[in-house]
Amino acid sequence: MFPDDDLEYIIDGELADEGLNIFDGKAFLFDFETGDFVYKNGAPVLLEGKEALKAWIEKCIRTVKYRAIVHSNLEYGPQIDDLIGSVLPTDFVKAEIEREITEALLRNPFITSVVDFSFEVEGSRLIANLTVNSTYDDEVLEVNT
């Protein structure tokens, strides 16, 4: 009745890589403040193109790798939860966050580069700012997490 843990993904008739993040240029709008999808006329709001990629980026960065069962077979999201609140040197933590986020985002074939990381401290929060270049056009996507 339920699929086993060895899920196979088929894209365009080809068996997909287990580590592939399935992104086809579309995504549903998700409100991270309410923790739910956004609906209009009873249906989830569908995003396409660059707006869908922005939504995918935010979801990817907010998803802790391997934590959710739905993503257990995918290399999806950065693994930075063990760095948050650690006693490790701040420069090391920043470098690891940058590496993890960059690796997670570059798994998406629509993303060509992740650059210009900077960090801000707001109380006990470390906020990462970065630029994502994509295949959609020359316009860069500014991301604040």
Side-chain angles (χ1 to χ4, degrees):
M1 181 170 167
F2 294 101
D4 59 17
D5 287 344
D6 298 323
L7 297 176
E8 293 181 344
Y9 298 92
I10 307 295
I11 300 175
D12 296 331
E14 298 287 327
L15 181 63
D17 224 356
E18 231 182 273
L20 178 67
N21 288 313
I22 299 169
F23 177 76
D24 63 356
K26 298 177 184 177
F28 290 109
L29 181 59
F30 191 83
D31 184 337
F32 289 98
E33 289 185 26
T34 64
D36 202 358
F37 289 97
V38 176
Y39 290 86
K40 184 175 182 180
N41 299 324
V45 175
L46 180 66
L47 302 173
E48 296 187 67
K50 194 172 13 176
E51 291 305 311
L53 182 61
K54 287 179 186 179
W56 183 92
I57 290 167
E58 185 168 4
K59 184 177 181 302
C60 179
I61 290 173
R62 289 175 178 254
T63 300
V64 178
K65 188 191 285 186
Y66 307 127
R67 180 171 289 168
I69 293 173
V70 70
H71 299 127
S72 64
N73 286 350
L74 300 176
E75 293 287 323
Y76 184 74
Q79 195 166 9
I80 58 176
D81 57 332
D82 57 338
L83 297 170
I84 298 168
S86 74
V87 295
L88 296 169
T90 304
D91 288 340
F92 175 79
V93 170
K94 289 177 181 179
E96 280 299 292
I97 290 173
E98 183 175 338
R99 183 186 64 77
E100 283 283 340
I101 289 175
T102 299
E103 285 180 9
L105 295 181
L106 287 177
R107 288 186 183 101
N108 186 314
F110 289 78
I111 295 175
T112 57
S113 66
V114 181
V115 296
D116 298 333
F117 270 85
S118 65
F119 294 91
E120 301 171 36
V121 176
E122 249 183 39
S124 62
R125 294 182 60 210
L126 180 64
I127 300 169
N129 302 296
L130 55 131
T131 301
V132 177
N133 297 303
S134 74
T135 59
Y136 284 109
D137 56 30
D138 291 337
E139 182 183 341
V140 296
L141 307 175
E142 300 292 332
V143 180
N144 303 308
T145 62

